[in-house]
Amino acid sequence: MFNTNSTEKRYSKNKFKRIMKYEYSKKLGLPIIQPDIFYDYRGEYVETWNIENYKIFKCDQFKQDDISTSTKHTLRGLHGDFKTWKLVQCVYGSLLQAVVDMRPESQTYLEWELFTINDKNRNQILVPPGFANGHLVMSDYGVFSYKQSTLYGGVKEQFTVKWNDPKINIPWPIDNPILSSRDKNADLL
């Protein structure tokens, strides 16, 4: 899917000379993107999206932006579909982001990776179609933001994977998260 031969940090520079650092995750080869952060006495400025920088991933046409806000120990997911790219990030607080390969034909089928994304590291994860993703709020409050390459068509167009499915066995640092009824009642694989 991506050219992941190297784990070194890479850089993409757009015509405005803004730099974006990225690397690929070790197990699933997902792009981990760190936008350039400009700090001064007023605070910080972060460019979270620029079509010129994201063309390198061949996924630069997003159609919908969403934000969810949650309190500590809320776990949202694991959700996905087989057509939508998602660019996920935490704009406030700290989240533990899980991504699971749900493509049956893949060599990494049912393998997962965990990422800490927060308002300090500003990391973004590009989640391809066929992957489930979910996040656990680790701070008192968290704001999760994501771009989607398709318009959301409702729960019926997605799959839901139970957050603690033993076939996947994600080592969440909590045994009793706050869950929606959809996530609480999801079937095991």
Side-chain angles (χ1 to χ4, degrees):
M1 183 173 302
F2 298 106
N3 180 6
T4 61
N5 295 336
S6 171
T7 58
E8 68 189 37
K9 285 224 184 249
R10 300 168 190 212
Y11 300 89
S12 173
K13 189 185 298 187
N14 63 38
K15 64 184 175 182
F16 302 107
K17 308 290 190 252
R18 293 199 179 106
I19 297 173
M20 174 186 77
K21 297 182 277 292
Y22 65 96
E23 61 187 331
Y24 294 99
S25 67
K26 290 180 173 64
K27 193 187 295 184
L28 300 178
L30 303 172
I32 304 167
I33 301 151
Q34 185 180 41
D36 197 27
I37 303 170
F38 173 76
Y39 300 95
D40 69 12
Y41 64 93
R42 300 167 295 173
E44 65 182 49
Y45 173 85
V46 182
E47 181 181 82
T48 61
W49 167 252
N50 182 311
I51 193 168
E52 294 299 320
N53 279 342
Y54 289 82
K55 284 181 179 178
I56 57 173
F57 303 119
K58 301 194 176 21
C59 177
D60 58 6
Q61 299 299 318
F62 290 104
K63 295 184 178 180
Q64 182 172 332
D65 282 7
D66 296 289
I67 288 178
S68 70
T69 62
S70 303
T71 57
K72 188 172 191 166
H73 296 155
T74 297
L75 197 156
R76 292 181 181 260
L78 304 157
H79 308 145
D81 63 39
F82 290 96
K83 61 184 180 180
T84 306
W85 289 86
K86 294 180 183 80
L87 181 65
V88 303
Q89 64 186 327
C90 176
V91 295
Y92 182 83
S94 183
L95 309 175
L96 188 60
Q97 174 72 29
V99 181
V100 183
D101 188 348
M102 298 304 297
R103 302 167 301 158
E105 73 286 354
S106 171
Q107 291 181 343
T108 56
Y109 178 58
L110 299 184
E111 291 188 25
W112 52 266
E113 282 192 285
L114 290 174
F115 306 92
T116 297
I117 57 175
N118 56 48
D119 58 12
K120 303 294 183 246
N121 67 24
R122 297 287 181 199
N123 286 347
Q124 301 172 329
I125 311 296
L126 184 58
V127 181
F131 287 73
N133 83 99
H135 63 273
L136 174 66
V137 179
M138 303 299 289
S139 53
D140 289 336
Y141 185 76
V143 179
F144 178 75
S145 170
Y146 57 105
K147 294 184 168 308
Q148 298 185 101
S149 64
T150 62
L151 296 175
Y152 179 66
V155 173
K156 292 183 178 175
E157 292 188 14
Q158 291 188 323
F159 54 79
T160 302
V161 178
K162 193 155 185 100
W163 69 278
N164 60 350
D165 192 302
K167 281 192 176 178
I168 298 171
N169 201 27
I170 296 172
W172 297 104
I174 185 171
D175 293 326
N176 193 22
I178 301 166
L179 299 168
S180 69
S181 59
R182 172 186 178 183
D183 297 333
K184 192 180 295 185
N185 298 315
D187 293 329
L188 296 173
L189 296 174

